[in-house]
Amino acid sequence: MEYIRLADPSHHLFEEAWELYEQSFPLEERRPLSRQLTIMPHDTYHFELNLRQGSLVGILFWWGFEELRFIEHFATVAALRGRGYGKLVLKDFAGRDDRPVLLEVEP
């Protein structure tokens, strides 16, 4: 797996990632694109693409704080769900550093 952090929408996979975000989360759990573009360059925010052989597997949007890492949005491409990619991404993410990981979930 390859992980790429985007700080702006110029990456060729941004639109595909944004579409996955919109399809994966209800409107009330998403931020508008204009707000997303405002926070993407911030040091603590990570708009991360999960890739396999150059193709989008999923997204991981998270905040890196001094005491913890907070996963705000996490989704796998619909056609790839149930194949263990989510588990792999979360395991890799947890092993990146020693800070605890807080994953926000909704019913």
Side-chain angles (χ1 to χ4, degrees):
M1 293 287 288
E2 180 183 3
Y3 305 99
I4 297 176
R5 180 181 181 183
L6 303 187
D8 64 60
S10 64
H11 192 278
H12 70 280
L13 290 175
F14 176 81
E15 287 187 31
E16 185 178 351
W18 188 253
E19 185 176 310
L20 173 59
Y21 174 68
E22 290 185 321
Q23 292 172 353
S24 300
F25 299 96
L27 183 60
E28 61 272 8
E29 293 179 23
R30 300 189 315 245
R31 70 177 46 87
L33 178 59
S34 60
R35 180 72 179 125
Q36 184 69 43
L37 297 176
T38 302
I39 66 169
M40 283 177 70
H42 286 247
D43 289 341
T44 55
Y45 185 72
H46 300 257
F47 183 111
E48 193 170 275
L49 306 182
N50 314 135
L51 308 175
R52 182 171 177 264
Q53 299 176 343
S55 296
L56 186 67
V57 170
I59 55 172
L60 186 66
F61 299 171
W62 61 280
W63 296 87
F65 301 114
E66 188 174 320
E67 298 294 320
L68 63 89
R69 293 172 290 157
F70 175 72
I71 299 175
E72 185 176 44
H73 294 99
F74 172 54
T76 302
V77 171
L80 300 176
R81 292 179 187 153
R83 297 185 185 182
Y85 288 112
K87 180 179 178 178
L88 176 62
V89 168
L90 289 178
K91 183 178 178 182
D92 286 352
F93 182 78
R96 290 184 198 173
D97 72 40
D98 294 334
R99 289 175 291 171
V101 175
L102 179 63
L103 173 61
E104 179 182 9
V105 295
E106 300 286 338

